[in-house]
């Protein structure tokens, strides 16, 4: 489904995503994710890359898909899932490039991504979106179904196919190499009050200091 722009400016997406879909997402966009995503955390990512190293196929066709960095807690009777909040995205950095090479288009997690991963997102036309940290119970309300499809022995970290309805995220790193967290602080960043190691480029600071 192409990216749907809602009346309030939010965008609704569902996998599989095309390159054009990804290009329609820019940093700062509030996005509602519906349909199928695949839940996988550290241990599952490690196993998937090990499978690739052995020449084996992954448990699901990753082309155009969205992966959510989550390990849901066990559900209570009558509930679809337990808490389903995101885990820290940078923990997956060492495995992310291999999956992007295979066509992964969307990633959801918590926190930011470093320069290396931002470059990979740009190279492979993919997008990283952040979910609300600490809001696992609220996130669970958007989960309409889930099933374990691989690595059941990993329990909460098994790979799951999850069905979502308007799961809210925002675009942190788009396919143009931009970073929402870095750009939003520029107007207020006071580099002259910070040690050199903590300074970041801003338009004003760059002009006064020969670039940045």
């Amino acid at each position: 489904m192409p990216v749907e722009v809602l009346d309030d400016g939010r965008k609704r997406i569902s996998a599989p995503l095309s390159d054009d879909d990804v290009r329609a997402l820019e940093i700062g966009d509030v996005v509602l994710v519906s349909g199928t995503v695949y839940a996988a955390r550290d241990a599952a990512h490690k196993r998937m890359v090990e499978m690739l190293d052995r020449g084996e196929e992954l448990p699901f066709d990753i082309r155009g898909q969205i992966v959510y960095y989550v390990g849901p807690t066990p559900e209570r009777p009558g509930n679809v899932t337990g808490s389903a909040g995101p885990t820290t995205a940078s923990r997956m950095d060492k495995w992310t490039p291999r999956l992007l090479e295979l066509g992964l288009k969307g990633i959801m997690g918590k926190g930011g991504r470093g320069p290396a991963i931002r470059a990979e997102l740009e190279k492979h036309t993919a997008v990283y979106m952040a979910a609300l940290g600490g809001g696992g119970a609220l996130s669970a309300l958007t989960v309409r179904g889930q099933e374990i499809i691989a690595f059941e022995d990993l329990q909460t970290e098994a790979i799951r196919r999850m069905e979502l309805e308007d799961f809210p995220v925002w675009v942190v790193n788009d396919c143009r190499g931009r970073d929402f967290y870095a750009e939003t602080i520029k107007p207020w960043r006071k580099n002259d009050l910070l040690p050199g190691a903590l300074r970041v480029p801003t338009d004003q600071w760059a002009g006064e200091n020969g670039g940045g």
Side-chain angles (χ1 to χ4, degrees):
M1 181 184 82
V3 175
E4 178 185 2
V5 181
L6 306 180
D7 291 341
D8 59 7
R10 294 181 297 174
K11 298 177 179 180
R12 179 179 286 123
I13 65 172
S14 61
L17 299 176
S18 67
D19 285 355
D20 285 341
D21 293 333
V22 174
R23 293 188 188 103
L25 302 175
E26 299 183 0
I27 60 168
D29 283 347
V30 177
V31 177
L32 302 176
V33 181
S34 292
T36 301
V37 304
Y38 291 90
R41 284 185 46 145
D42 320 33
H45 274 73
K46 181 175 184 292
R47 284 199 186 178
M48 284 193 288
V49 171
E50 289 172 346
M51 292 177 71
L52 294 174
D53 289 341
R54 294 193 297 267
E56 300 172 4
E57 293 187 358
L58 295 180
F60 63 97
D61 185 353
I62 205 167
R63 292 173 296 180
Q65 298 302 322
I66 300 171
V67 167
Y68 180 27
Y69 297 156
V70 62
T73 62
E75 65 273 16
R76 293 181 177 181
N79 291 350
V80 174
T81 184
S83 178
T87 195
T88 303
S90 60
R91 295 168 63 172
M92 264 54 69
D93 281 3
K94 68 177 70 175
W95 302 295
T96 298
R98 290 289 297 278
L99 302 184
L100 292 173
E101 289 174 5
L102 295 177
L104 175 64
K105 289 299 176 184
I107 303 169
M108 307 192 309
K110 180 176 67 176
R113 308 307 290 261
I117 296 300
R118 296 200 298 269
E120 292 290 330
L121 293 170
E122 185 175 12
K123 177 181 178 181
H124 297 290
T125 316
V127 62
Y128 168 66
M129 300 166 285
L132 177 64
L138 291 175
S139 298
L141 297 177
T142 70
V143 180
R144 297 293 176 259
Q146 64 153 326
E147 62 173 327
I148 294 175
I149 62 168
F151 313 147
E152 187 171 2
D153 60 299
L154 296 180
Q155 301 180 37
T156 60
E157 292 203 32
I159 295 181
R160 287 172 163 78
R161 182 185 294 112
M162 302 180 76
E163 298 298 325
L164 306 181
E165 183 178 353
D166 286 351
F167 183 99
V169 293
W170 64 93
V171 177
V172 174
N173 300 121
D174 60 25
C175 65
R176 299 164 184 84
R178 300 175 65 197
D179 183 89
F180 178 68
Y181 294 147
E183 295 195 21
T184 52
I185 65 173
K186 285 184 177 182
W188 300 279
R189 189 79 174 190
K190 302 296 184 182
N191 279 310
D192 55 324
L193 301 179
L194 295 170
L198 296 180
R199 296 181 181 182
V200 296
T202 67
D203 294 339
Q204 179 182 359
W205 184 84
E208 294 175 351
N209 293 271

Short mmCIF file of all heavy atoms in Angstrom, two decimals, residues 73-108:
data_model
loop_
_atom_site.label_atom_id
_atom_site.label_comp_id
_atom_site.label_asym_id
_atom_site.label_seq_id
_atom_site.Cartn_x
_atom_site.Cartn_y
_atom_site.Cartn_z
N THR A 73 6.47 -9.18 26.44
CA THR A 73 6.31 -9.99 27.64
C THR A 73 5.14 -10.94 27.45
O THR A 73 4.27 -10.71 26.60
CB THR A 73 6.08 -9.10 28.88
OG1 THR A 73 4.85 -8.36 28.68
CG2 THR A 73 7.23 -8.13 29.08
N PRO A 74 5.09 -12.04 28.23
CA PRO A 74 3.97 -12.99 28.08
C PRO A 74 2.62 -12.29 28.30
O PRO A 74 2.47 -11.45 29.17
CB PRO A 74 4.26 -14.03 29.17
CG PRO A 74 5.74 -13.95 29.37
CD PRO A 74 6.08 -12.50 29.20
N GLU A 75 1.67 -12.69 27.48
CA GLU A 75 0.36 -12.08 27.57
C GLU A 75 -0.46 -12.67 28.70
O GLU A 75 -0.29 -13.85 29.05
CB GLU A 75 -0.40 -12.23 26.25
CG GLU A 75 -0.75 -13.66 25.87
CD GLU A 75 0.37 -14.34 25.10
OE1 GLU A 75 1.51 -13.83 25.11
OE2 GLU A 75 0.10 -15.39 24.49
N ARG A 76 -1.31 -11.87 29.29
CA ARG A 76 -2.27 -12.36 30.28
C ARG A 76 -3.44 -13.01 29.55
O ARG A 76 -3.69 -12.71 28.38
CB ARG A 76 -2.77 -11.21 31.15
CG ARG A 76 -1.68 -10.61 32.04
CD ARG A 76 -2.25 -9.50 32.90
NE ARG A 76 -1.24 -8.95 33.80
CZ ARG A 76 -1.47 -7.98 34.67
NH1 ARG A 76 -2.67 -7.43 34.75
NH2 ARG A 76 -0.50 -7.55 35.46
N PRO A 77 -4.16 -13.89 30.23
CA PRO A 77 -5.31 -14.54 29.59
C PRO A 77 -6.27 -13.51 29.01
O PRO A 77 -6.65 -12.54 29.67
CB PRO A 77 -5.95 -15.32 30.74
CG PRO A 77 -4.81 -15.61 31.68
CD PRO A 77 -3.93 -14.39 31.60
N GLY A 78 -6.64 -13.72 27.75
CA GLY A 78 -7.57 -12.82 27.10
C GLY A 78 -6.92 -11.68 26.35
O GLY A 78 -7.60 -10.97 25.60
N ASN A 79 -5.61 -11.48 26.55
CA ASN A 79 -4.90 -10.41 25.85
C ASN A 79 -4.11 -10.98 24.68
O ASN A 79 -3.65 -12.13 24.72
CB ASN A 79 -3.94 -9.69 26.79
CG ASN A 79 -4.67 -8.87 27.85
OD1 ASN A 79 -5.88 -8.69 27.77
ND2 ASN A 79 -3.94 -8.38 28.83
N VAL A 80 -3.94 -10.16 23.65
CA VAL A 80 -3.18 -10.58 22.47
C VAL A 80 -1.70 -10.66 22.79
O VAL A 80 -0.99 -11.56 22.33
CB VAL A 80 -3.43 -9.60 21.31
CG1 VAL A 80 -2.53 -9.94 20.11
CG2 VAL A 80 -4.89 -9.64 20.89
N THR A 81 -1.19 -9.72 23.58
CA THR A 81 0.23 -9.67 23.91
C THR A 81 0.41 -9.00 25.26
O THR A 81 -0.50 -8.34 25.77
CB THR A 81 1.01 -8.89 22.83
OG1 THR A 81 2.41 -8.93 23.13
CG2 THR A 81 0.57 -7.44 22.76
N GLY A 82 1.59 -9.17 25.82
CA GLY A 82 1.97 -8.40 26.99
C GLY A 82 2.56 -7.08 26.55
O GLY A 82 2.33 -6.61 25.43
N SER A 83 3.35 -6.48 27.42
CA SER A 83 3.99 -5.21 27.08
C SER A 83 4.82 -5.38 25.82
O SER A 83 5.52 -6.37 25.64
CB SER A 83 4.88 -4.76 28.25
OG SER A 83 5.55 -3.57 27.94
N ALA A 84 4.75 -4.39 24.92
CA ALA A 84 5.40 -4.52 23.62
C ALA A 84 6.16 -3.26 23.26
O ALA A 84 6.08 -2.75 22.14
CB ALA A 84 4.37 -4.84 22.54
N GLY A 85 6.93 -2.74 24.21
CA GLY A 85 7.73 -1.55 23.97
C GLY A 85 9.04 -1.86 23.28
O GLY A 85 9.52 -3.00 23.31
N PRO A 86 9.65 -0.86 22.67
CA PRO A 86 10.87 -1.08 21.88
C PRO A 86 12.11 -1.26 22.74
O PRO A 86 12.16 -0.78 23.87
CB PRO A 86 10.97 0.21 21.07
CG PRO A 86 10.38 1.25 21.98
CD PRO A 86 9.24 0.56 22.67
N THR A 87 13.11 -1.94 22.19
CA THR A 87 14.41 -2.01 22.82
C THR A 87 15.38 -1.09 22.07
O THR A 87 15.09 -0.62 20.97
CB THR A 87 14.95 -3.45 22.84
OG1 THR A 87 16.04 -3.54 23.76
CG2 THR A 87 15.41 -3.90 21.46
N THR A 88 16.52 -0.84 22.68
CA THR A 88 17.49 0.12 22.15
C THR A 88 18.01 -0.33 20.79
O THR A 88 18.59 -1.42 20.65
CB THR A 88 18.65 0.30 23.13
OG1 THR A 88 18.13 0.73 24.39
CG2 THR A 88 19.64 1.34 22.62
N ALA A 89 17.85 0.52 19.80
CA ALA A 89 18.15 0.14 18.42
C ALA A 89 19.63 -0.11 18.18
O ALA A 89 19.99 -0.99 17.39
CB ALA A 89 17.65 1.23 17.47
N SER A 90 20.49 0.64 18.84
CA SER A 90 21.93 0.52 18.58
C SER A 90 22.47 -0.87 18.90
O SER A 90 23.53 -1.25 18.40
CB SER A 90 22.71 1.58 19.35
OG SER A 90 22.50 1.44 20.75
N ARG A 91 21.76 -1.63 19.70
CA ARG A 91 22.19 -2.99 20.03
C ARG A 91 22.18 -3.89 18.81
O ARG A 91 22.84 -4.93 18.79
CB ARG A 91 21.29 -3.57 21.13
CG ARG A 91 21.41 -2.83 22.44
CD ARG A 91 20.32 -3.21 23.42
NE ARG A 91 20.37 -4.60 23.80
CZ ARG A 91 19.61 -5.14 24.77
NH1 ARG A 91 18.75 -4.37 25.42
NH2 ARG A 91 19.70 -6.41 25.07
N MET A 92 21.45 -3.50 17.77
CA MET A 92 21.36 -4.31 16.55
C MET A 92 22.30 -3.82 15.46
O MET A 92 22.30 -4.33 14.34
CB MET A 92 19.93 -4.30 16.02
CG MET A 92 19.07 -5.49 16.44
SD MET A 92 18.98 -5.84 18.21
CE MET A 92 18.01 -4.46 18.80
N ASP A 93 23.13 -2.80 15.75
CA ASP A 93 23.95 -2.18 14.70
C ASP A 93 24.85 -3.16 13.96
O ASP A 93 25.03 -3.06 12.75
CB ASP A 93 24.80 -1.06 15.30
CG ASP A 93 24.02 0.23 15.52
OD1 ASP A 93 22.80 0.23 15.27
OD2 ASP A 93 24.63 1.22 15.96
N LYS A 94 25.43 -4.11 14.68
CA LYS A 94 26.39 -5.02 14.03
C LYS A 94 25.74 -5.95 13.02
O LYS A 94 26.42 -6.47 12.14
CB LYS A 94 27.14 -5.83 15.09
CG LYS A 94 26.29 -6.84 15.83
CD LYS A 94 27.11 -7.67 16.82
CE LYS A 94 27.57 -6.81 18.00
NZ LYS A 94 28.28 -7.64 19.01
N TRP A 95 24.43 -6.16 13.13
CA TRP A 95 23.74 -7.09 12.22
C TRP A 95 22.88 -6.39 11.18
O TRP A 95 22.50 -6.99 10.18
CB TRP A 95 22.87 -8.06 13.03
CG TRP A 95 23.64 -8.84 14.04
CD1 TRP A 95 24.62 -9.77 13.80
CD2 TRP A 95 23.55 -8.74 15.46
NE1 TRP A 95 25.12 -10.27 14.97
CE2 TRP A 95 24.49 -9.65 16.03
CE3 TRP A 95 22.77 -7.99 16.34
CZ2 TRP A 95 24.66 -9.81 17.39
CZ3 TRP A 95 22.94 -8.14 17.71
CH2 TRP A 95 23.86 -9.05 18.22
N THR A 96 22.57 -5.12 11.42
CA THR A 96 21.63 -4.41 10.55
C THR A 96 22.08 -4.33 9.09
O THR A 96 21.25 -4.54 8.18
CB THR A 96 21.36 -3.00 11.10
OG1 THR A 96 20.75 -3.12 12.39
CG2 THR A 96 20.46 -2.20 10.18
N PRO A 97 23.35 -4.03 8.78
CA PRO A 97 23.73 -3.91 7.37
C PRO A 97 23.41 -5.14 6.52
O PRO A 97 22.98 -5.02 5.36
CB PRO A 97 25.23 -3.63 7.43
CG PRO A 97 25.42 -2.94 8.74
CD PRO A 97 24.46 -3.63 9.66
N ARG A 98 23.62 -6.34 7.08
CA ARG A 98 23.35 -7.56 6.30
C ARG A 98 21.88 -7.64 5.91
O ARG A 98 21.54 -8.07 4.80
CB ARG A 98 23.74 -8.80 7.12
CG ARG A 98 25.22 -8.98 7.33
CD ARG A 98 25.95 -9.39 6.06
NE ARG A 98 25.53 -10.69 5.53
CZ ARG A 98 25.97 -11.86 5.97
NH1 ARG A 98 26.85 -11.91 6.97
NH2 ARG A 98 25.55 -12.99 5.42
N LEU A 99 21.00 -7.26 6.82
CA LEU A 99 19.58 -7.35 6.54
C LEU A 99 19.13 -6.26 5.56
O LEU A 99 18.26 -6.49 4.72
CB LEU A 99 18.78 -7.26 7.84
CG LEU A 99 19.14 -8.33 8.89
CD1 LEU A 99 18.22 -8.22 10.10
CD2 LEU A 99 19.08 -9.74 8.31
N LEU A 100 19.73 -5.10 5.66
CA LEU A 100 19.42 -4.04 4.69
C LEU A 100 19.84 -4.45 3.29
O LEU A 100 19.15 -4.16 2.30
CB LEU A 100 20.11 -2.73 5.10
CG LEU A 100 19.58 -2.06 6.37
CD1 LEU A 100 20.47 -0.88 6.74
CD2 LEU A 100 18.14 -1.60 6.21
N GLU A 101 20.97 -5.13 3.18
CA GLU A 101 21.44 -5.60 1.88
C GLU A 101 20.42 -6.52 1.21
O GLU A 101 20.31 -6.57 -0.02
CB GLU A 101 22.77 -6.35 2.03
CG GLU A 101 23.96 -5.47 2.38
CD GLU A 101 25.19 -6.29 2.67
OE1 GLU A 101 25.14 -7.53 2.51
OE2 GLU A 101 26.22 -5.70 3.08
N LEU A 102 19.67 -7.26 2.04
CA LEU A 102 18.70 -8.22 1.52
C LEU A 102 17.34 -7.59 1.23
O LEU A 102 16.43 -8.28 0.79
CB LEU A 102 18.54 -9.37 2.51
CG LEU A 102 19.78 -10.23 2.71
CD1 LEU A 102 19.52 -11.30 3.77
CD2 LEU A 102 20.21 -10.89 1.40
N GLY A 103 17.19 -6.28 1.52
CA GLY A 103 15.94 -5.62 1.15
C GLY A 103 15.07 -5.18 2.29
O GLY A 103 13.94 -4.73 2.05
N LEU A 104 15.53 -5.30 3.54
CA LEU A 104 14.78 -4.76 4.67
C LEU A 104 14.57 -3.26 4.45
O LEU A 104 15.52 -2.54 4.15
CB LEU A 104 15.53 -5.00 5.98
CG LEU A 104 14.94 -4.39 7.25
CD1 LEU A 104 13.57 -5.00 7.55
CD2 LEU A 104 15.89 -4.57 8.42
N LYS A 105 13.34 -2.77 4.62
CA LYS A 105 13.04 -1.37 4.30
C LYS A 105 12.68 -0.52 5.50
O LYS A 105 12.89 0.70 5.48
CB LYS A 105 11.89 -1.30 3.28
CG LYS A 105 12.28 -1.76 1.90
CD LYS A 105 13.39 -0.88 1.32
CE LYS A 105 13.90 -1.36 -0.02
NZ LYS A 105 15.03 -0.55 -0.49
N GLY A 106 12.14 -1.11 6.54
CA GLY A 106 11.73 -0.33 7.70
C GLY A 106 12.20 -0.96 8.99
O GLY A 106 12.18 -2.19 9.13
N ILE A 107 12.65 -0.12 9.92
CA ILE A 107 13.10 -0.59 11.23
C ILE A 107 12.44 0.29 12.28
O ILE A 107 12.36 1.51 12.14
CB ILE A 107 14.63 -0.49 11.38
CG1 ILE A 107 15.34 -1.28 10.28
CG2 ILE A 107 15.07 -0.97 12.75
CD1 ILE A 107 16.84 -1.01 10.21
N MET A 108 11.97 -0.34 13.36
CA MET A 108 11.38 0.40 14.48
C MET A 108 12.11 -0.01 15.76
O MET A 108 12.32 -1.19 16.01
CB MET A 108 9.89 0.09 14.62
CG MET A 108 9.11 0.30 13.34
SD MET A 108 7.31 0.27 13.55
CE MET A 108 7.05 -1.24 14.47
#
